[in-house]
Amino acid sequence: HVEAVANAANRPHILALLFNATIVDPSVPLVGMAVLATLGLLSAETAIFQFPAIVMTMTVIRYRELRGRMMIMTSTKKSSSMGVANVGNNKGKRMTARMTATQQQQSQQSQSSSSSSSKQQQNSSILTQCIISLLPRYILLLLLSTLYLLYRHYNNSLSIPDGLIRPAENPLFHRFDDEPLLWRAMNYSYILSIHILKACGYDIVGFSHEYGYDCIPEIRTMGDKRLWLPVGLVAVGKGLMVWSFSEFGASKYKLLQKGRQQRR
């Protein structure tokens, strides 16, 4: 109990998280990524569960980098083409004066449709470039995960020994055969949401809640109001993912790049 209070028991998991947080950056060399990922797996077994989040975060970072560069290139091209467009400005004014209102509306609609289609093609091409550039890192994480699982299987350390988990402390583990999968998903999602809030600094149940038996009453029905917590966290996570790939995220990256250049 002293180790749990002093957080000594969680230090391997924290080390694994620190190693994996370093390899999220796509600019880390491939050899360094392999070494850090291996150290994370050797620190704690929870490191392998962080690999999907590493892949998603790495993809978002590289996508925003490529999109920011594309926006900077297009802005420079537009600024350079402004001088050429000003030369024929008088001719353009005469031509637009002759056009009727219906012709102007049709031209605006065609321009908007062409711009939307070009944006979609541009986003798909950027995403393709992002995945191709990160493909060696995806393969490296997959190989490391496979080797780690094979090593654990060879040493017969994948399964939890009988008697290690006591029913009084972990009732969810011992009720797998008695209760359906939906019941386990509801309760585990709520417990996981509590720990996510604790990681963000919000405590809704109090300290050391996992040390007491039945300190958190189980969820028996879908109408339990506590299920709104995992639903809300999933919605926030999806919203952040959409925002990361959106144009607002790319424009914010562009502003950050300008601020860094001004500081230099």
Side-chain angles (χ1 to χ4, degrees), residues 6-25:
N7 203 21
N10 293 326
R11 286 176 186 174
H13 305 284
I14 296 174
L15 284 175
L17 179 62
L18 291 176
F19 286 129
N20 287 336
T22 308
I23 64 177
V24 164
D25 189 2

Side-chain angles (χ1 to χ4, degrees), residues 67-82 122 254 258 261:
R67 188 173 178 81
R69 293 174 187 173
M70 186 68 69
M71 291 181 67
I72 293 173
M73 291 175 61
T74 53
S75 62
T76 53
K77 287 181 180 179
K78 287 181 180 179
S79 61
S80 62
S81 62
M82 286 295 291
Q122 184 179 1
K254 182 180 177 181
K258 287 184 178 179
Q261 292 177 359

Side-chain angles (χ1 to χ4, degrees), residues 80-142:
S80 62
S81 62
M82 286 295 291
V84 180
N86 289 328
V87 175
N89 194 10
N90 295 326
K91 294 182 180 180
K93 288 182 179 179
R94 294 174 183 175
M95 293 295 294
T96 53
R98 295 175 182 177
M99 292 175 64
T100 61
T102 56
Q103 291 176 349
Q104 290 179 0
Q105 187 176 2
Q106 291 177 357
S107 63
Q108 290 176 358
Q109 291 178 356
S110 62
Q111 289 177 0
S112 62
S113 61
S114 62
S115 62
S116 62
S117 62
S118 63
K119 284 183 179 179
Q120 291 179 357
Q121 293 177 357
Q122 184 179 1
N123 293 333
S124 62
S125 64
I126 292 173
L127 186 60
T128 304
Q129 293 177 5
C130 174
I131 294 173
I132 292 173
S133 63
L134 295 176
L135 191 60
R137 298 176 184 270
Y138 299 157
I139 297 173
L140 176 61
L141 291 178
L142 183 61

